[in-house]
Amino acid sequence: MAKKAMVEREKKRQKLVAKYASKRAELKAIAADAERPMEERFKANLKLAQLPRNSSETRLHNRCQLTGRPKAYYRKLKLSRIALRDLASKGQIPGMVKSSW
């Protein structure tokens, strides 16, 4: 089980990303538009830099929905390998059987 603080921090980041997503996209579009004046593009970059760091999507990290484990994460299932194996052993994932020999 991951530290509760780390899981909560990740949730906080997800909320910030959702909150500032449209504003970030708008400022990035202005900054990348070559037809706009250089001053306007520079101001857009400054405003972008003033936004909270955790509102950037690149700061998000995938975590297991059950345990909060950050490593060995399966994107399709949103679970870590350990949680996946436990659920498969208990027969709670349809069509998945743990092989043993």
Side-chain angles (χ1 to χ4, degrees):
M1 190 75 184
K3 285 186 179 178
K4 192 167 188 171
M6 296 303 290
V7 174
E8 293 302 316
R9 187 181 301 165
E10 199 64 32
K11 287 180 186 175
K12 182 180 173 185
R13 283 183 183 145
Q14 288 174 347
K15 286 179 187 174
L16 277 173
V17 167
K19 181 179 178 182
Y20 288 99
S22 60
K23 192 169 188 177
R24 268 186 174 283
E26 186 180 311
L27 288 172
K28 280 186 176 184
I30 292 171
D33 189 6
E35 293 180 10
R36 291 187 185 253
M38 192 62 158
E39 277 185 28
E40 191 177 343
R41 292 169 58 194
F42 185 70
K43 285 180 184 177
N45 272 329
L46 289 177
K47 285 182 183 178
L48 193 62
Q50 288 175 350
L51 293 177
R53 279 189 177 182
N54 284 334
S55 67
S56 174
E57 198 172 356
T58 57
R59 290 178 71 98
L60 290 178
H61 198 280
N62 292 328
R63 286 184 173 271
C64 175
Q65 298 250 320
L66 292 179
T67 61
R69 181 181 166 89
K71 297 180 180 180
Y73 174 85
Y74 288 98
R75 288 183 184 182
K76 279 189 175 180
L77 303 169
K78 297 185 178 181
L79 294 172
S80 68
R81 64 179 174 83
I82 297 167
L84 179 67
R85 182 181 170 132
D86 284 344
L87 292 175
S89 294
K90 293 175 185 173
Q92 294 179 345
I93 299 177
M96 187 172 283
V97 180
K98 183 183 138 325
S99 64
S100 57
W101 58 90

